[in-house]
Amino acid sequence: MRMTARPENLHQSRLLHLLRDEGPRSRAELGEMVRLSRSKLALELDRLVELGLVEPAGLAASRGGRRSAVVRLSPRLRFVAFDIGATSIDVAVTNGRLEVLGHVSEPCDVRLGAPAVLERALELLGKLRDDGLLPQVHGAGIGVPGPVSFREGIPVAPPIMPGWDRFPVREAIGRELGCPVLVDNDVNIMALGELHGGMARSVDDFLLVKIGTGIGCGIVVGGGIYRGVSGGAGDIGHIRVDDDGPLCACGNTGCLEAYFGGAALARDALAVARAGHSALLAERLAATGDVTAADVAAAAAAGDPAAVRLIREGGHRVGQVLAGLVSFFNPGLVIIAGGVARLGHALLAEVRSVVYRRSPPLATGNLPIVLSELGDTAGVVGATRLISDHVFSPA
Amino acid sequence: MRMTARPENLHQSRLLHLLRDEGPRSRAELGEMVRLSRSKLALELDRLVELGLVEPAGLAASRGGRRSAVVRLSPRLRFVAFDIGATSIDVAVTNGRLEVLGHVSEPCDVRLGAPAVLERALELLGKLRDDGLLPQVHGAGIGVPGPVSFREGIPVAPPIMPGWDRFPVREAIGRELGCPVLVDNDVNIMALGELHGGMARSVDDFLLVKIGTGIGCGIVVGGGIYRGVSGGAGDIGHIRVDDDGPLCACGNTGCLEAYFGGAALARDALAVARAGHSALLAERLAATGDVTAADVAAAAAAGDPAAVRLIREGGHRVGQVLAGLVSFFNPGLVIIAGGVARLGHALLAEVRSVVYRRSPPLATGNLPIVLSELGDTAGVVGATRLISDHVFSPA
DNA sequence: CGGACTTTCCCCACTCACAGAACAAAGCCG
DNA sequence: CGGCTTTGTTCTGTGAGTGGGGAAAGTCCG
């Protein structure tokens, strides 16, 4: 029993990627797409069948001649995704085509430390395994809410993950599952998710801004994640908006996150509730003794003017930072994602307004700014995309 | 007589790049570097000699055996660089190794329009040609002070270049010189210059910030220029620093360029001179009726406190924007270049201070911020690097 | 000065990847 | 049923590239 089969050359790799992204195809169609002679193609496909990665899937309807033999990725292929958030864990299992077969999610504080959180993640995977979803795991992708040394597969100097610094995440999970594992920043894997199944499918250079507990940005250059020289690229939460803004946890003042991170939004909402400017928020305060970012979202969705106003102000700040990034990076698309983004057409309108006003026409002329449509699945799909790109490439 | 010889395959391309960047080498050394068998290597080198791109250069000293036959790029190879600035033209001719053989520079207002400026550039090239430097031109690189559609070789919507919008620069110069021509933003070619011969030689991801008439940024990702989806990447001059800053030519307020572009610096210097806060600047005002950015530079170099203060304030603004870009991009190096940068250790100190304070430790932990050492040659060397990368690649 | 050793260059045969032709199989249409 | 089309399979030719075996041209040492 081979541990994990990998393609032997670039042709096989391209075939796997095609079967993953385009679905089952006839040999003739595949030959067309990879520009290989039929003979060579048959050779490589036979090898892939031998490796257990591909299998025949019957005959297609005739198109005027002999019926073509369709091939597909082996339906027994499985990829696993762990999306570790600041306050939650998502675990999912997909087939070779990255279609989600099972997905569980539960609240979990990342501050419990790496061993405890990873063990809980594996327990959640165990649940899915009991459903019979896991004949064989071919790879696992992991997203964590902080900077990562991608090459080593370990978090480095993560601000909100005490007890994770340089913890060998890849090695630990790899030992447990016995398959290739890759670890990346959670925002990066969300960007990969959008690249695979979201609005960014045909966009080479784009940004994904995630607004949640923290604020981060996934950067895609030429169809691949850009991570910077030390894995810290996209850390936009502490970009300065103003000198005389609120004090941030990082020690500076006026950081974007201090204006509009999850904690900042809760802080402002609390002030609004106490001042009596919002009936809905005051009600929440009375009921639970606290007001959260989710409460603001709910209140805004219900049309509460003060809540909408909080979101618009935050959107304004995000837009100011994003306008600078758009000027600098000239992306082909900007996607807003994360908890706060879930509801926000008010947010989106404000962000758009500021970016379209403050960035050069050349950069905004053909720039869609949209909300993510993928929600929670962006992260897990991106994680499996990350690992499948790796497993489907020659060793 | 072939027009312009190009390598026929990737092996030949790699050999040319090696001979360009590493200098003349023996066949044995080249074989080592490109991992080719001696037989194949001899074949490809012979083809390059036939194409006139490479020629034998005698025998090296023996290292204990038969003396090795050294090959080098043909010394008759010539690349031409046109670096069109906002207020100047630089024209240079290099050999195949991008060593500058002749370089002329003269003031010229880009606002004279494309035909006039390009004609003047060709006249300057004529001067160099008269010196016998141009047996045959193998390619020309052009830098212009504005956004460029790199694929088409034309400026697009340039703010400071009236009469250049969509002017077919590449076609015009190509027709005149009868060789391949590439056109790019002037900041991008400066970045390429630093990549080739400056401090960025071994850095894959870095930023070059040019502070001159305008403020722009060259972005290098993975050893190549990143241009964005519409060629507008790096346009950081209009990133917002503050809401209540000076009015900018772009119509917004508080743009970086409105704080510290060439015009802004002259404006502030004039105010200082009129207010009598600087003896040196007041003297210049009296003598010439005006004060320029160059006057501030000279005064600061002479130790004038008010001039130094102007530069430090500007550096502070640049640092604030740069801190954001460093957080976002996590580069391995930042180079400050351009007219204002020429003198500025005060400037550099201020930029560093702000960036190191405001960007995350992970991004600044190992981040040199330096002044360009190449000066005017960065642009012309970068332009020839641009075109030689093209000419030295298979058609 | 001559022989042992080294390094480089050149020629040749062998391997390998791949394309393309030829052939076989399996369908459509009239 | 026979021509036509599409697909899959087998076979052979071709060009790229490797590696071995001299030959050439040095150095070093006795």
Side-chain angles (χ1 to χ4, degrees):
Chain A
M1 185 75 83
R2 242 180 331 279
M3 241 250 307
T4 37
R6 297 275 290 275
E8 297 161 332
N9 57 43
L10 273 174
H11 294 308
Q12 294 179 14
S13 171
R14 291 186 59 193
L15 288 168
L16 290 173
H17 277 91
L18 272 174
L19 289 173
R20 183 192 70 183
D21 298 336
E22 310 288 333
R25 286 295 138 110
S26 75
R27 298 166 100 91
E29 285 172 306
L30 287 172
E32 193 91 346
M33 297 194 229
V34 297
R35 314 285 308 153
L36 271 182
S37 66
R38 287 178 300 188
S39 44
K40 181 64 178 164
L41 178 78
L43 216 70
E44 300 297 356
L45 280 177
D46 290 347
R47 281 298 297 147
L48 286 173
V49 171
E50 278 180 55
L51 290 171
L53 292 170
V54 158
E55 64 172 41
L59 301 176
S62 166
R63 297 202 326 244
R66 176 173 170 174
R67 296 171 62 188
S68 36
V70 175
V71 294
R72 66 176 174 205
L73 288 180
S74 165
R76 293 178 322 183
L77 280 178
R78 289 295 179 273
F79 293 116
V80 171
F82 298 101
D83 186 1
I84 316 280
T87 59
S88 64
I89 301 181
D90 280 63
V91 181
V93 173
T94 74
N95 60 13
R97 297 203 55 205
L98 313 191
E99 293 163 335
V100 176
L101 305 179
H103 184 174
V104 292
S105 179
E106 74 168 29
C108 176
D109 193 332
V110 74
R111 287 172 296 182
L112 294 175
V117 172
L118 292 180
E119 192 176 337
R120 187 68 197 128
L122 286 169
E123 283 171 29
L124 287 175
L125 180 63
K127 279 195 197 174
L128 295 175
R129 195 192 299 267
D130 294 341
D131 297 347
L133 285 176
L134 283 180
Q136 193 181 356
V137 179
H138 284 74
I142 306 178
V144 297
V148 166
S149 164
F150 182 69
R151 198 177 44 75
E152 301 169 280
I154 60 176
V156 286
I160 66 163
M161 303 163 65
W164 287 75
D165 192 19
R166 303 199 70 81
F167 185 91
V169 175
R170 179 166 73 188
E171 196 197 320
I173 299 292
R175 190 155 10 92
E176 203 64 39
L177 296 183
C179 65
V181 175
L182 288 177
V183 184
D184 205 342
N185 185 301
D186 61 341
V187 185
N188 287 347
I189 65 166
M190 287 186 75
L192 278 178
E194 296 286 347
L195 189 65
H196 184 80
M199 327 208 53
R201 221 163 321 185
S202 56
V203 186
D204 269 355
D205 308 301
F206 73 92
L207 299 179
L208 177 129
V209 178
K210 184 196 172 196
I211 306 169
T213 305
I215 298 180
C217 180
I219 308 170
V220 173
V221 174
I225 293 291
Y226 173 79
R227 299 185 174 86
V229 290
S230 45
D235 190 3
I236 64 171
H238 301 280
I239 292 183
R240 166 189 166 277
V241 177
D242 260 317
D243 286 327
D244 49 352
L247 181 66
C248 179
C250 76
N252 282 309
T253 56
C255 297
L256 177 59
E257 220 167 276
Y259 273 108
F260 197 52
L265 188 55
R267 174 202 64 207
D268 292 345
L270 189 62
V272 164
R274 287 200 174 131
H277 292 154
S278 160
L280 271 171
L281 291 179
E283 186 181 307
R284 293 295 304 168
L285 176 59
T288 65
D290 199 7
V291 184
T292 66
D295 295 332
V296 181
D304 183 275
V308 171
R309 168 149 193 186
L310 279 179
I311 288 179
R312 291 199 83 100
E313 278 174 1
H316 191 79
R317 300 306 186 177
V318 172
Q320 286 177 324
V321 167
L322 195 49
L325 301 183
V326 166
S327 304
F328 172 77
F329 186 68
N330 188 16
L333 170 68
V334 172
I335 301 176
I336 313 280
V340 175
R342 201 164 294 153
L343 66 137
H345 264 279
L347 177 79
L348 185 63
E350 192 65 29
V351 169
R352 282 178 172 160
S353 157
V354 177
V355 172
Y356 290 145
R357 176 158 25 94
R358 288 237 47 139
S359 292
L362 183 60
T364 55
N366 192 15
L367 173 68
I369 303 177
V370 300
L371 294 178
S372 168
E373 292 172 347
L374 258 48
D376 280 346
T377 60
V380 293
V381 169
T384 54
R385 163 91 180 202
L386 180 70
I387 190 62
S388 83
D389 275 346
H390 176 73
V391 171
F392 284 173
S393 297
Chain B
M1 186 72 83
R2 241 179 332 278
M3 239 248 309
T4 36
R6 297 276 289 276
E8 298 159 333
N9 56 43
L10 272 174
H11 294 307
Q12 294 180 13
S13 173
R14 291 187 58 194
L15 288 168
L16 290 173
H17 277 90
L18 273 173
L19 290 172
R20 182 192 70 181
D21 299 336
E22 311 287 333
R25 284 296 139 109
S26 74
R27 299 167 97 91
E29 285 173 305
L30 288 173
E32 193 91 347
M33 296 195 224
V34 297
R35 312 288 308 156
L36 270 182
S37 67
R38 290 165 310 199
S39 41
K40 182 61 181 165
L41 177 77
L43 216 69
E44 300 298 355
L45 280 177
D46 289 349
R47 280 299 294 147
L48 286 173
V49 171
E50 276 181 55
L51 291 172
L53 292 170
V54 158
E55 64 172 41
L59 301 176
S62 166
R63 296 201 326 244
R66 175 172 170 176
R67 297 171 62 189
S68 37
V70 175
V71 294
R72 65 177 174 204
L73 288 181
S74 165
R76 294 178 320 183
L77 280 179
R78 289 295 179 273
F79 294 115
V80 171
F82 298 101
D83 186 0
I84 316 281
T87 59
S88 64
I89 301 181
D90 279 62
V91 181
V93 173
T94 74
N95 60 15
R97 297 203 55 206
L98 312 191
E99 293 162 336
V100 176
L101 304 178
H103 183 174
V104 293
S105 179
E106 75 168 29
C108 176
D109 192 333
V110 74
R111 287 172 297 181
L112 293 175
V117 172
L118 292 179
E119 192 176 338
R120 186 67 196 131
L122 287 168
E123 283 172 30
L124 287 175
L125 180 63
K127 279 195 194 173
L128 296 174
R129 193 193 299 267
D130 294 343
D131 296 348
L133 285 177
L134 283 180
Q136 193 181 357
V137 180
H138 285 73
I142 306 179
V144 297
V148 166
S149 165
F150 183 69
R151 196 177 45 75
E152 301 168 281
I154 60 175
V156 285
I160 67 165
M161 302 164 66
W164 286 76
D165 192 17
R166 303 199 70 80
F167 184 91
V169 175
R170 179 165 75 188
E171 195 196 321
I173 298 293
R175 191 156 7 95
E176 204 64 38
L177 297 182
C179 64
V181 175
L182 288 177
V183 184
D184 205 341
N185 185 301
D186 61 341
V187 185
N188 288 346
I189 66 167
M190 288 186 76
L192 279 177
E194 297 286 346
L195 188 65
H196 184 80
M199 325 208 56
R201 220 163 325 186
S202 55
V203 186
D204 268 355
D205 308 301
F206 72 93
L207 299 180
L208 176 128
V209 177
K210 184 195 172 197
I211 307 170
T213 307
I215 299 180
C217 181
I219 308 170
V220 173
V221 174
I225 294 291
Y226 173 78
R227 298 186 175 88
V229 289
S230 45
D235 190 4
I236 64 171
H238 301 281
I239 290 183
R240 166 188 167 278
V241 176
D242 261 317
D243 286 326
D244 49 351
L247 181 67
C248 179
C250 76
N252 282 308
T253 57
C255 297
L256 177 60
E257 220 166 276
Y259 273 108
F260 198 51
L265 188 55
R267 174 202 63 205
D268 292 346
L270 189 62
V272 164
R274 286 200 175 131
H277 293 153
S278 160
L280 270 172
L281 291 179
E283 189 181 305
R284 292 296 302 168
L285 176 60
T288 63
D290 199 7
V291 185
T292 67
D295 295 332
V296 181
D304 182 275
V308 170
R309 167 145 195 191
L310 279 179
I311 289 177
R312 290 198 84 101
E313 279 174 0
H316 192 78
R317 300 307 186 176
V318 172
Q320 287 177 323
V321 168
L322 196 49
L325 301 183
V326 166
S327 304
F328 172 77
F329 187 69
N330 188 16
L333 171 67
V334 172
I335 302 176
I336 312 278
V340 175
R342 201 165 293 152
L343 65 137
H345 264 280
L347 176 78
L348 185 62
E350 192 65 30
V351 170
R352 281 178 172 160
S353 156
V354 176
V355 172
Y356 289 144
R357 176 157 27 93
R358 289 235 49 138
S359 293
L362 183 59
T364 56
N366 193 15
L367 173 68
I369 303 178
V370 301
L371 294 177
S372 168
E373 292 172 346
L374 259 46
D376 281 345
T377 60
V380 293
V381 169
T384 55
R385 162 91 180 201
L386 180 71
I387 191 63
S388 85
D389 275 345
H390 176 75
V391 171
F392 284 173
S393 297

